[in-house]
Amino acid sequence: MKHSIVRSIEGLYEDRTLELVRIAIRKGFKPIDIFNWLQTGMERVGKLYETSDYFIADLIFAGIIFQEVMELEELKEITKVTPKNKIGRLLLFSVFGDCHDIGKNIFGSFARTAGFELIDLGTDVSLYQVIEAIETVKPDIIGMSGMQQETIYEMRAVACELVNRGIRDDYRVIIGGAVIDEKAAQIVGADFATKDVMTGVEKCKLWMIEKTGKKNNDK
């Protein structure tokens, strides 16, 4: 089942992927294992995009397939965060002027599975809405997504506002999207930038380990 599901999502077969996942569930495979197979397939799609074998439309379509599968009740369970397995709080959104949410949603699903409490503000989120949310939910990490070159400067506006308010050092900032690279991270003033979902989630987990360690040392 593993190889069939991995190849199916890698090949962008929507109906086939859904049917294979349903079969895997009926056969008693663990939802977390199925999720990991989907993750492997998505990683392969990402590599095909990096080598220009796939285009942005293919990347988006793969994200749609992934989201459809994750809407199955059996898979929803693995993204539920409880006080027992919570490792941190993540504020996530697509910046003002960007209405794309596929990559953001995939990152959010992976982050939930890793144990993050997720506050997703959605798409096209204004600076005012972001600051209001930060003050309300007090996240550990702020995640910004953008698919267009112009959105880099909207991300920078958020980071600059944090600096102006004297609270930039209170949060880790991660950015992602099709136009994001190390240069973008420097422009924005982000702590980390990546196009790869799993790399981003692993970085967030590492930050929380560091934060927990610092708290224990301060006691």
Side-chain angles (χ1 to χ4, degrees), residues 91 93-96 121 124-136 154 157-159 161-162 165:
L91 181 68
F93 56 92
S94 294
V95 295
F96 184 67
L121 301 181
D124 193 24
V125 181
S126 70
L127 176 59
Y128 172 79
Q129 290 172 303
V130 172
I131 297 302
E132 186 177 47
I134 290 171
E135 292 176 343
T136 302
E154 293 297 334
V158 173
E161 184 63 21
L162 297 179
R165 289 171 179 256

Side-chain angles (χ1 to χ4, degrees), residues 9-49:
I9 196 164
E10 178 186 8
L12 307 178
Y13 298 115
E14 182 177 11
D15 294 338
R16 180 182 171 190
T17 301
L18 283 164
E19 184 56 29
L20 285 169
V21 169
R22 290 190 180 104
I23 291 172
I25 291 169
R26 288 199 297 269
K27 286 188 173 183
F29 287 97
K30 294 179 181 179
I32 189 62
D33 289 334
I34 297 172
F35 177 84
N36 289 334
W37 302 341
L38 293 168
Q39 175 184 317
T40 300
M42 290 299 295
E43 287 173 352
R44 290 189 181 182
V45 170
K47 288 177 181 175
L48 287 167
Y49 174 71

Side-chain angles (χ1 to χ4, degrees), residues 157 159-168:
C160 287
E161 184 63 21
L162 297 179
V163 172
N164 292 339
R165 289 171 179 256
I167 57 174
R168 172 63 183 87

